[in-house]
Amino acid sequence: MKRKKLSILLDAFQARLSRQITIWVFISLLVIEGVILIPSYFRREQELLLQLEQISSFTLDSLVILTQQEMSNHQVFQRRIQNIIKDSPIVLGIAIYQSNGKLMETFGEMPEIAFDYLQNHKIFHQRSHDGTRYDVAWTNKHLGGDFILIVRHDASSVQPELYAYIKRIGILVLIISAFVTFVTIIVLGSVVISPILRLRDDLISAADALSKDETKSDFYSFSIQRNDELGEVMNAFNFMFHRVYQEISQRKQAEAILRSEQETSERLLLNILPEAIALRLKQGENTIADSFADVTILFADLVGFTELSSRTTPQELVKLLNCIFSDFDQLTEKYHLEKIKTIGDNYMVASGLPIPRLEHAIAIADMALEMQEIIIKFNEKKGESLHLRIGINSGSVVAGVIGTKKFIYDLWGDAVNTASRMESQGIPGKIQVTESTYQLLCEQYIFEPRGSIYVKGKGNMITYFLQGKK
């Protein structure tokens, strides 16, 4: 407990806000005490001077009697006046005036009060500039006779006493101010500074908790109930933290859903379009049409699929077709080819686009050979007698995306049409290629010449059957 109080006190002394407040409290106390001290100083001065007058009051009575009784005998009057001054240690001089202003006698130091100052006064007081002398004039209006007495007093003891008085009061003011300031620091540290520092730590912890997606419930602000402005700030902090946490949680959930939807959309888009083409569409390119000089296109058709569909349920038929085409899709991934589309039981794939490559014909040839193996294994597993008729051609094409709904990446050109004719006019179980494709592959693959065949729209063409690698 003592350690906790000491910690609060140290925090209060170290806190900049606490120091500013206590400094202003200390200065304010000094100013207030100074304002009180100034009139107190003058009252004390008047008290000390009044004491001098009271001490010399016996001398005044004697002087009044002398001026009324002994003025006729001038020598006796002077001697007795000198004796009075000698017997009074604070009386340094006397001046006697007639009521008409005529100076009658002076003894000792001459007072500084001039007769002209005494008009309309009964008693007149004047202290010298250096503070060591104090003159008091009793006029005929006060004494009741025709004489004016002015007495000079020794006031040298007044100023040191005033300095001592100021010193005592100043020390007392400093002690009171220091005590009040110290108590202010302690109370301020306990009631304001320490809670503010704890609230600051709560704000830092809240930032860490929010960044780590944590619901932190052991904040100092959560455990304190105050019915003041600082309590309202703590309540506002608690409300803010829970509100921000909820908003962040909801935003993260929304972002997660959006991210999931975006990933789904990305996958769907990449299933429809090549990645490079999808990126161009996302970047805002509306019309995509590119020319490629060296491309190899493959068309494949399942022979016997129509007969199979007549004795198989639609669900089973789709399942079988999906099984075969899924294996074909894996080959496109394996050889980095672009599947263009499927139309019924017809499968179309291309190599050399949208990113050109030198071995475009080799990749298509390898895939065609493995497609034949897939059909053989399928027949063995399912007990069917399907055959794959494949046509391949190489040449230049135009590729792009058309339409705004259900768009696909498609190919156009004579090379595409010729590849389609190679498939439609091929032989089941065979891979028929054109002369252009043969020239690209003849050094690495084994071919069987088919000879010249008539191709619709092209006339007679020399074609070959791809049989395997050398």
Side-chain angles (χ1 to χ4, degrees):
M1 189 68 180
K2 291 182 178 180
R3 185 174 296 177
K4 183 178 180 181
K5 290 182 178 180
L6 181 60
S7 176
I8 292 175
L9 184 61
L10 291 175
D11 289 342
F13 275 105
Q14 293 174 358
R16 294 184 294 272
L17 178 61
S18 177
R19 290 200 298 269
Q20 293 176 5
I21 293 176
T22 51
I23 287 173
W24 280 110
V25 168
F26 184 77
I27 293 175
S28 299
L29 289 173
L30 291 180
V31 171
I32 292 172
E33 296 294 341
V35 171
I36 296 175
L37 178 62
I38 291 173
S40 176
Y41 170 86
F42 289 109
R43 283 197 301 272
R44 181 58 180 167
E45 181 185 30
Q46 292 301 319
E47 290 175 358
L48 293 174
L49 295 176
L50 183 59
Q51 289 177 5
L52 292 179
E53 291 183 36
Q54 291 174 347
I55 293 173
S56 63
S57 60
F58 176 76
T59 303
L60 174 63
D61 295 338
S62 300
L63 288 173
V64 170
I65 295 173
L66 283 175
T67 53
Q68 292 177 349
Q69 297 180 0
E70 302 292 343
M71 284 293 292
S72 58
N73 191 338
H74 187 263
Q75 292 182 351
V76 174
F77 178 74
Q78 285 186 336
R79 185 172 62 251
R80 296 195 63 177
I81 289 293
Q82 290 175 353
N83 290 334
I84 290 172
I85 294 174
K86 184 177 180 181
D87 292 338
S88 178
I90 64 172
V91 176
L92 299 179
I94 298 173
I96 303 175
Y97 288 87
Q98 288 184 349
S99 58
N100 59 6
K102 180 180 180 181
L103 179 63
M104 298 178 63
E105 296 288 345
T106 61
F107 303 92
E109 291 186 18
M110 181 65 180
E112 294 181 358
I113 296 178
F115 179 79
D116 296 337
Y117 295 165
L118 304 180
Q119 303 297 325
N120 302 322
H121 289 88
K122 291 183 178 181
I123 302 176
F124 186 80
H125 310 82
Q126 179 176 298
R127 190 177 177 193
S128 63
H129 295 294
D130 59 5
T132 59
R133 298 294 184 265
Y134 179 60
D135 298 339
V136 181
W138 291 274
T139 66
N140 57 334
K141 295 179 181 180
H142 175 74
L143 298 176
D146 293 331
F147 300 96
I148 298 174
L149 294 178
I150 303 176
V151 179
R152 165 153 281 202
H153 299 83
D154 183 5
S156 59
S157 63
V158 173
Q159 197 63 40
E161 177 61 26
L162 286 175
Y163 289 151
Y165 175 76
I166 293 174
K167 183 178 180 180
R168 291 193 300 271
I169 298 299
I171 293 174
L172 182 60
V173 167
L174 288 176
I175 292 174
I176 293 173
S177 300
F179 175 76
V180 173
T181 302
F182 183 77
V183 173
T184 302
I185 290 177
I186 295 176
V187 175
L188 195 63
S190 176
V191 177
V192 178
I193 299 302
S194 181
I196 288 178
L197 295 178
R198 298 289 296 276
L199 181 59
R200 177 201 62 187
D201 296 338
D202 283 355
L203 289 171
I204 296 173
S205 300
D208 293 337
L210 291 174
S211 65
K212 297 176 182 177
D213 199 18
E214 297 176 354
T215 307
K216 193 169 183 179
S217 59
D218 58 345
F219 290 129
Y220 167 78
S221 303
F222 290 179
S223 61
I224 296 299
Q225 296 294 329
R226 296 175 58 124
N227 295 321
D228 54 16
E229 288 78 6
L230 189 56
E232 294 176 358
V233 173
M234 291 180 176
N235 292 334
F237 163 73
N238 297 338
F239 174 77
M240 178 275 297
F241 175 78
H242 290 298
R243 178 69 178 272
V244 171
Y245 180 81
Q246 291 175 357
E247 293 290 341
I248 290 177
S249 299
Q250 293 174 0
R251 187 189 67 187
K252 288 184 176 179
Q253 291 176 1
E255 288 177 351
I257 295 172
L258 181 61
R259 193 180 303 111
S260 176
E261 294 294 333
Q262 186 176 7
E263 291 173 357
T264 302
S265 300
E266 290 284 346
R267 287 195 300 269
L268 291 173
L269 189 61
L270 293 177
N271 281 334
I272 298 172
L273 301 173
E275 183 177 357
I277 300 301
L279 180 61
R280 290 167 64 181
L281 284 175
K282 287 191 294 184
Q283 290 175 346
E285 193 171 345
N286 295 324
T287 303
I288 297 178
D290 303 304
S291 296
F292 298 92
D294 298 304
V295 175
T296 299
I297 307 102
L298 177 150
F299 281 90
D301 183 63
L302 283 171
V303 180
F305 186 77
T306 303
E307 187 274 331
L308 178 64
S309 64
S310 65
R311 54 183 173 83
T312 308
T313 63
Q315 292 79 5
E316 185 65 23
L317 185 67
V318 172
K319 184 177 180 181
L320 291 174
L321 188 61
N322 181 65
C323 179
I324 295 171
F325 281 5
S326 295
D327 289 340
F328 292 171
D329 290 342
Q330 291 180 8
L331 291 179
T332 62
E333 295 291 330
K334 177 180 178 180
Y335 292 108
H336 305 290
L337 305 175
E338 287 299 332
K339 175 184 175 181
I340 303 303
K341 59 185 174 181
T342 60
I343 304 175
D345 58 353
N346 193 282
Y347 193 93
M348 178 182 178
V349 66
S351 178
L353 52 76
I355 300 175
R357 57 190 295 187
L358 294 176
E359 68 281 7
H360 55 90
I362 294 175
I364 287 289
D366 289 340
M367 178 174 175
L369 294 171
E370 285 201 44
M371 290 170 74
Q372 296 286 24
E373 294 177 3
I374 288 173
I375 295 301
I376 294 171
K377 292 179 181 179
F378 176 81
N379 289 333
E380 293 175 352
K381 182 177 179 181
K382 300 293 184 179
E384 299 291 342
S385 57
L386 296 177
H387 298 282
L388 197 61
R389 187 172 58 227
I390 298 176
I392 300 175
N393 181 41
S394 299
S396 61
V397 299
V398 174
V401 179
I402 59 173
T404 57
K405 295 180 65 178
K406 296 183 180 180
F407 50 78
I408 63 169
Y409 185 68
D410 208 350
L411 310 180
W412 300 273
D414 183 65
V416 179
N417 297 332
T418 302
S420 177
R421 295 286 186 267
M422 288 298 100
E423 177 272 314
S424 61
Q425 296 182 223
I427 297 174
K430 297 288 187 178
I431 304 171
Q432 182 171 234
V433 302
T434 61
E435 178 71 26
S436 60
T437 304
Y438 170 78
Q439 293 298 328
L440 295 172
L441 299 174
C442 63
E443 297 295 331
Q444 297 171 293
Y445 291 84
I446 300 171
F447 288 93
E448 176 189 349
R450 185 181 183 186
S452 179
I453 65 170
Y454 178 79
V455 178
K456 183 180 178 181
K458 297 291 293 183
N460 292 326
M461 294 185 66
I462 301 296
T463 63
Y464 302 83
F465 291 126
L466 174 62
Q467 293 182 328
K469 280 193 173 184
K470 288 184 179 180

